[in-house]
Every structure is written in C-alpha cells, then in structure tokens.
Amino acid sequence: MSTRKITYAGMMAALTIIFLIFASILPRANSIFYILCSVSIMIMVWLFGIKEGFLVYIASSLLGIFLIPNKLVAMVYILIFGLYPIIKALCEKGFPIYVEFFLKLLYYNLALIILYFMFKLIIKEIPHFKYGMLLTVISSEVIFILYDYLLTLILQKLKSLKIFGGTNHG
C-alpha cells in the first residue's frame, strides 16, 4: 500500500469513528452520521478500489467495537452502513439494473434479519413494532432505496468537484 493510500485510509477510518461517536451520543441525528460513515468508505472505494475500502471498513469496524459506547450503533454500522458502500460497488459492476436492485435489497434484508436476531439475543425480548412488522420492513426498504440514491448523488457530486482526483474504481 502506498503512503497516499495509507494516509487516506487512516483519515477515513478516523472520520468514521468520529461519526459513529456522534451517532452514539446524538441519537436523533444518527441517520446523518451513519450516512457520513458510508461516504467515508465510499470515498476509499472510489479513490482506490474495493479492496482498500474493505480494509478501511474492517479497521473502522474493529475500532468501533472497542471505542463506541453504544454497541448497537457499532453493530448497525458493521452490518449495514459500513459494508453497504462495498456491496453497492460490487452490485454496480456490470449487472443489469434489476439485478443490482435485487442484490442490494437482498443484502439489506439479510442485514435486517441479522440485526433483529442480535437485538433479540441482547435485549432478550422481541421488539415491538408500532405499525406491525411487515409495514416496518417495507417502510425501511423504501428508506434504504432513498439512502442508496443519496449515496449515488453524493458520489456524483464528489466526482464533479474533482477535489479527490479519484481513479474511479467504484
């Protein structure tokens, strides 16, 4: 790994941890900080490739487990928001749009199922869903689709600004 890659990786991992700490202590704004965590990983994928983005994801996930006071925040990052930019980059490598969409939703639903059972294991009770499980899942999928679109818009804006000079791997 070059000095430039190591420097960017360290900065993106540090930013991710800072954003996760904010997500942990400011629960009403945690969605914004989760998205910023995703952008940090997405920048690494765009600048250097999927492998480097994955290494930053692993480093920030391990640091998050030890440094983030709210472990649920760390788990949501590890299962959804940290890994998703890498999944997104893999899904958008030549698949037809309907296959991309299916793979992304499949990933999200699998991550939701894992989170649900982890929550159930930790809390020892089934979470109550105000409007029912099905409506909660469907509405979260709609929000996930909007999140995916937002990440696409952010990446397009970063590319148009030409501030990073990425190699456009992702």
Side-chain angles (χ1 to χ4, degrees), residues 28-91:
R28 292 199 184 261
N30 66 5
S31 299
I32 294 166
F33 295 112
Y34 283 134
I35 291 168
L36 291 172
C37 290
S38 293
V39 170
S40 298
I41 301 297
M42 187 175 64
I43 288 171
M44 281 304 293
V45 171
W46 170 51
L47 288 176
F48 303 109
I50 292 172
K51 181 180 87 173
E52 287 78 2
F54 187 72
L55 290 174
V56 171
Y57 161 73
I58 293 295
S60 58
S61 295
L62 291 173
L63 287 169
I65 289 170
F66 294 110
L67 298 176
I68 305 306
N70 184 339
K71 300 308 178 201
L72 184 59
V73 167
M75 298 303 354
V76 169
Y77 167 74
I78 290 168
L79 287 171
I80 297 176
F81 294 97
L83 190 55
Y84 184 68
I86 296 161
I87 299 296
K88 178 176 175 62
L90 290 170
C91 289

Side-chain angles (χ1 to χ4, degrees), residues 20-157:
L20 286 174
I21 289 170
F22 280 128
S24 184
I25 60 176
L26 300 169
R28 292 199 184 261
N30 66 5
S31 299
I32 294 166
F33 295 112
Y34 283 134
I35 291 168
L36 291 172
C37 290
S38 293
V39 170
S40 298
I41 301 297
M42 187 175 64
I43 288 171
M44 281 304 293
V45 171
W46 170 51
L47 288 176
F48 303 109
I50 292 172
K51 181 180 87 173
E52 287 78 2
F54 187 72
L55 290 174
V56 171
Y57 161 73
I58 293 295
S60 58
S61 295
L62 291 173
L63 287 169
I65 289 170
F66 294 110
L67 298 176
I68 305 306
N70 184 339
K71 300 308 178 201
L72 184 59
V73 167
M75 298 303 354
V76 169
Y77 167 74
I78 290 168
L79 287 171
I80 297 176
F81 294 97
L83 190 55
Y84 184 68
I86 296 161
I87 299 296
K88 178 176 175 62
L90 290 170
C91 289
E92 293 177 354
K93 283 196 172 275
F95 289 110
I97 192 81
Y98 60 89
V99 175
E100 278 181 28
F101 190 73
F102 172 77
L103 291 173
K104 290 173 183 179
L105 277 177
L106 177 66
Y107 162 74
Y108 178 69
N109 284 302
L110 288 174
L112 270 186
I113 291 167
I114 293 168
L115 273 176
Y116 174 80
F117 284 109
M118 285 180 66
F119 184 79
K120 187 177 169 185
L121 182 70
I122 293 168
I123 305 298
K124 304 262 189 273
E125 64 182 62
I126 298 173
H128 173 70
F129 296 98
K130 186 175 181 180
Y131 300 106
M133 175 82 87
L134 183 61
L135 189 58
T136 301
V137 169
I138 291 170
S139 63
S140 76
E141 287 174 341
V142 170
I143 293 168
F144 175 76
I145 292 165
L146 293 173
Y147 157 72
D148 176 64
Y149 182 64
L150 179 63
L151 282 184
T152 301
L153 292 177
I154 291 170
L155 182 59
Q156 288 173 352
K157 185 64 176 174

